[in-house]
Amino acid sequence: MKGKILVTGGTGYIGSHTVVELQNAGYEVVIIDNLSNSDVNVLDGIEKISGKRPAFVEADCTDLDALRNLFEANKGIVGIINFAASKAVGESVAKPLLYYRNNLDTLINLLDLMPQYNVKGIVFSSSCTVYGEPDENPVTENAPIKKATSPYGNTKQISEEIITDFVTSGAPIKSILLRYFNPVGAHPTAEIGELPNGVPQNLIPYLTQTAMGIRKELSVFGDDYNTPDGSCIRDFINVVDLAKAHVIAMERMLEDKSEDKIEIFNLGTGIGLSVLGLINAFESATGVKVPHKIVGRRAGDIEKVWANPDKANNVLGWKAETSIEDTMRSAWNWQNRLRERGLM
Ligand code: UD1
């Protein structure tokens, strides 16, 4: 057994896939999650895939005492992967304090406790949102950080700065900041996936729910962008591929392979795909039609952004491997599983 890793937000979408990969790689996992945007049954899915049930603490990471109790009860945690955060762009505009408190207090609490409990490294779940509308694509890690267009995006920028300041102050920790592009899909076993609350705001859950007939049609937000087909372009990265990068990042810190105490990596495929292109990919991969119509632009959307993943490819030795077709099939299988379970 390798070291013990604390995964905050470990029953969530990206968190649960990462827990599976950590356990498959031989790590012992402790999850903390307040279940605000996930379900405790996700633990069953994780156990079915990996054969191991992670330790689970239902608590809020903004609660410093609860976190302290967790570290006391689970001695020997060597690393943290921090997924515990609110992530809905629109909601963050309506409830900024909720986002600042939740996302920043969580991080500050974790950092505060790391030296006290000899935790060596923290992987932070950041986003390509820090690049805003990039001046050029594909985007490297050296692209300028643009002023955030939402409180959610701002929490990612501020979090990166908080970690950097803390490490620069001489704190005895390391960190790897992973900037995700657009994570999509589900585990190929369809045991875990994304569980959106209410009407989905993100493209893929809305698309699969439309394909299932739960939603009448998918609105494509704008076809008058400066892109080949007029719809926005994103870098859709398979969630299992993404999860695997976290295991490599953790290993890198624990085995002292990092070149700096803080490292930043883009996690994307390097391929820009338009919203209409993605709908096509889904339809050809699954044979299922997605009724859709073009509507006006969504406020705050970026026109086009995709990653230059060379640094992650070359330095981490990680590469996004899953084809968009397999990813779309996994999203569709997961949607069908939700239907079987009577959840959708
Ligand atoms: C946003 C955030 C990103 C965050 C991600 C997951 C920004 C700029 N981006 O990404 O940081 O990690 O959410 O929460 O803060 N679309 C439609 N119809 C729909 C839904 C979406 O056409 O019903 C389009 C959007 O206009 C966009 C693309 O699909 O062009 C992707 O949208 P979405 O899945 O919401 O992700 P982002 O906005 O790219």
Side-chain angles (χ1 to χ4, degrees):
M1 185 67 80
K2 294 185 186 165
K4 201 183 283 182
I5 308 296
L6 175 64
V7 181
T8 76
T11 51
Y13 173 44
I14 306 172
S16 57
H17 290 81
T18 301
V19 170
V20 165
E21 297 307 321
L22 283 167
Q23 295 194 141
N24 285 347
Y27 287 99
E28 187 181 340
V29 174
V30 181
I31 292 176
I32 179 169
D33 203 302
N34 64 5
L35 301 179
S36 62
N37 194 23
S38 61
D39 194 289
V40 72
N41 295 331
V42 169
L43 297 171
D44 297 334
I46 293 172
E47 187 176 4
K48 271 197 188 138
I49 302 169
S50 66
K52 283 173 238 153
R53 198 171 184 85
F56 174 66
V57 176
E58 183 180 345
D60 199 310
C61 294
T62 60
D63 180 346
L64 186 61
D65 289 333
L67 267 183
R68 215 188 286 280
N69 291 339
L70 183 153
F71 279 105
E72 289 295 335
N74 295 276
K75 286 277 161 60
I77 290 171
V78 291
I80 299 175
I81 305 185
N82 180 26
F83 295 105
S86 305
K87 61 159 190 173
V89 175
E91 185 188 46
S92 80
V93 176
K95 300 176 187 166
L97 295 188
L98 177 80
Y99 273 66
Y100 287 116
R101 180 166 289 145
N102 196 19
N103 296 4
L104 301 182
D105 280 0
T106 290
L107 177 66
I108 292 168
N109 284 346
L110 291 169
L111 293 175
D112 207 6
L113 293 175
M114 284 177 72
Q116 294 174 41
Y117 290 94
N118 292 318
V119 184
K120 207 164 169 179
I122 180 165
V123 176
F124 179 70
S125 180
S126 190
S127 166
C128 69
T129 194
V130 302
Y131 301 120
E133 184 77 62
D135 302 328
E136 48 185 315
N137 280 294
V139 182
T140 72
E141 291 80 358
N142 296 325
I145 302 295
K146 296 276 177 73
K147 184 170 166 40
T149 53
S150 71
Y152 156 76
N154 209 18
T155 66
K156 292 296 172 194
Q157 294 192 4
I158 297 170
S159 294
E160 289 197 357
E161 289 172 0
I162 290 174
I163 295 171
T164 307
D165 288 346
F166 189 50
V167 170
T168 308
S169 77
I173 66 161
K174 291 183 176 180
S175 183
I176 293 186
L177 314 178
L178 298 179
R179 292 179 178 159
Y180 315 151
F181 283 66
N182 283 60
V184 292
H187 198 271
T189 60
E191 293 294 348
I192 55 173
E194 190 171 5
L195 264 178
N197 251 341
V199 181
Q201 306 297 313
N202 294 117
L203 179 58
I204 283 296
Y206 206 104
L207 185 157
T208 57
Q209 288 191 13
T210 306
M212 179 64 73
I214 299 167
R215 313 273 160 213
K216 196 166 140 267
E217 57 191 349
L218 170 69
S219 296
V220 174
F221 298 135
D223 70 346
D224 56 352
Y225 285 99
N226 183 22
T227 60
D229 66 20
S231 64
C232 293
I233 294 181
R234 295 288 183 274
D235 184 333
F236 298 99
I237 160 93
N238 179 279
V239 67
V240 175
D241 288 342
L242 186 75
K244 288 178 176 163
H246 294 75
V247 180
I248 298 173
M250 181 54 74
E251 213 143 73
R252 187 171 167 83
M253 291 188 299
L254 297 181
E255 293 177 2
D256 290 318
K257 289 190 232 155
S258 323
E259 284 155 15
D260 292 305
K261 290 182 82 185
I262 291 210
E263 293 182 312
I264 302 176
F265 296 99
N266 282 343
L267 297 182
T269 62
I271 299 166
L273 185 62
S274 71
V275 173
L276 290 169
L278 186 81
I279 296 171
N280 275 334
F282 178 89
E283 290 182 338
S284 63
T286 63
V288 180
K289 287 279 167 216
V290 183
H292 60 276
K293 63 167 184 228
I294 309 290
V295 300
R297 294 180 176 196
R298 182 171 72 175
D301 266 338
I302 302 301
E303 180 171 272
K304 44 182 180 274
V305 59
W306 68 95
N308 177 332
D310 286 354
K311 189 176 173 200
N313 294 168
N314 299 331
V315 178
L316 292 181
W318 167 91
K319 201 169 183 340
E321 286 168 339
T322 312
S323 69
I324 192 70
E325 287 76 20
D326 282 347
T327 300
M328 290 300 101
R329 275 188 284 273
S330 73
W332 181 232
N333 291 341
W334 169 244
Q335 182 65 58
N336 280 283
R337 183 62 61 87
L338 287 174
R339 170 56 54 95
E340 279 164 36
R341 291 182 186 166
L343 291 172
M344 282 288 164

